[in-house]
């Protein structure tokens, strides 16, 4: 590992309130790839810069955005597009609640 600060999967789980199982799932489907994987034991490590992706995933899931849609959003890596998309999803939820 480099001199960067890495967080183990357990630390990320506690800090970001997401299960280890979910983090492994996100890795397996290519949604959130750990910054470093120890080749000797396969342990996953994340950087603080990846925390924003977890926040986006959590917000997106709360807005009924599918994993497939989240992956597409990350592929575009365009912040304004993401913001607009999530605002539209929230509007859809409010309309459903009003019904």
């Amino acid at each position: 590992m480099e001199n960067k600060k890495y967080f183990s999967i357990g630390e990320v789980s506690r800090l970001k309130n997401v299960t280890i199982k979910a983090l492994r799932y996100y890795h397996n489907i290519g949604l959130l790839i750990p910054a470093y994987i120890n080749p000797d034991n396969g342990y996953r490590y994340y950087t603080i810069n990846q925390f924003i992706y977890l926040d986006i995933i959590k917000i997106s899931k709360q807005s009924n955005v599918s994993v497939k849609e989240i992956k597409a959003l990350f592929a575009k890596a365009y912040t304004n597009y993401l913001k607009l998309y999530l605002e539209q999803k929230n509007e859809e939820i409010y309309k459903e609640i009003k019904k």
Side-chain angles (χ1 to χ4, degrees), residues 14-33:
R14 284 187 302 278
L15 290 169
K16 299 307 293 175
N17 194 28
V18 62
T19 66
I20 290 172
K21 184 177 178 179
L23 289 168
R24 288 182 180 138
Y25 173 69
Y26 298 153
H27 175 206
N28 290 336
I29 65 169
L31 184 60
L32 183 65
I33 307 298

Side-chain angles (χ1 to χ4, degrees), residues 3 13 16 25 28 60 89-90:
N3 289 335
S13 173
K16 299 307 293 175
Y25 173 69
N28 290 336
S60 297
K89 281 293 186 176
N90 277 338

Side-chain angles (χ1 to χ4, degrees), residues 73-86:
L73 291 171
F74 284 174
K76 291 183 180 186
Y78 183 57
T79 308
N80 289 335
Y81 178 80
L82 176 62
K83 182 178 179 278
L84 177 64
Y85 185 83
L86 292 176

Side-chain angles (χ1 to χ4, degrees), residues 3-91:
N3 289 335
K4 280 185 176 177
K5 173 63 176 152
Y6 288 94
F7 297 87
S8 71
I9 196 168
E11 290 172 316
V12 173
S13 173
R14 284 187 302 278
L15 290 169
K16 299 307 293 175
N17 194 28
V18 62
T19 66
I20 290 172
K21 184 177 178 179
L23 289 168
R24 288 182 180 138
Y25 173 69
Y26 298 153
H27 175 206
N28 290 336
I29 65 169
L31 184 60
L32 183 65
I33 307 298
Y36 174 77
I37 301 171
N38 186 315
D40 297 327
N41 56 26
Y43 289 1
R44 298 164 172 94
Y45 295 90
Y46 301 84
T47 64
I48 198 164
N49 295 337
Q50 292 179 292
F51 288 8
I52 187 69
Y53 291 99
L54 281 172
D55 292 337
I56 293 168
I57 291 167
K58 288 167 64 175
I59 290 167
S60 297
K61 287 179 66 180
Q62 291 170 354
S63 299
N64 295 325
V65 179
S66 71
V67 170
K68 184 178 176 180
E69 290 171 306
I70 298 169
K71 283 179 78 169
L73 291 171
F74 284 174
K76 291 183 180 186
Y78 183 57
T79 308
N80 289 335
Y81 178 80
L82 176 62
K83 182 178 179 278
L84 177 64
Y85 185 83
L86 292 176
E87 286 172 353
Q88 289 173 342
K89 281 293 186 176
N90 277 338
E91 189 64 32

